[in-house]
Amino acid sequence: MPQLPLSAYEPMIPQVADLLADDLSLQTFFNDLTPGYQREWARFIFGAKATATQQRHIAVMRTVFRAGYKSKRAYDSRPKD
């Protein structure tokens, strides 16, 4: 199944911010990202069909933000100890 274009996820950006409402620092971090990064996170979460997968992706997003990275790609490329 072909993936939707990144622009299709733009309307979901506020939903991603709402997912972080319980942690103001993470929500602020997300809100300060460029729209491109925000769309990538919306696709990462809402591009998954299964609820369990979406929940796992939300947890990954929180981990990436806590580590100070803007994208999962950058986080995955970080130097490993």
Side-chain angles (χ1 to χ4, degrees):
M1 174 182 215
Q3 193 172 33
L4 292 174
L6 198 55
S7 61
Y9 294 93
E10 190 156 355
M12 299 167 192
I13 289 173
Q15 291 174 282
V16 178
D18 289 346
L19 292 170
L20 299 168
D22 64 327
D23 188 326
L24 188 57
S25 65
L26 293 182
Q27 189 178 48
T28 300
F29 187 88
F30 176 77
N31 288 335
D32 288 345
L33 294 176
T34 63
Y37 283 119
Q38 291 176 342
R39 284 189 297 266
E40 284 185 30
W41 284 110
R43 178 171 58 186
F44 181 65
I45 294 166
F46 296 112
K49 291 184 182 182
T51 303
T53 304
Q54 288 180 354
Q55 293 303 314
R56 209 168 44 251
H57 286 190
I58 292 166
V60 167
M61 177 180 64
R62 289 173 173 272
T63 299
V64 171
F65 288 174
R66 282 189 192 106
Y69 290 87
K70 296 177 182 181
S71 71
K72 184 177 179 307
R73 185 172 37 251
Y75 179 79
D76 290 343
S77 298
R78 75 191 184 286
K80 308 293 190 272
D81 293 333

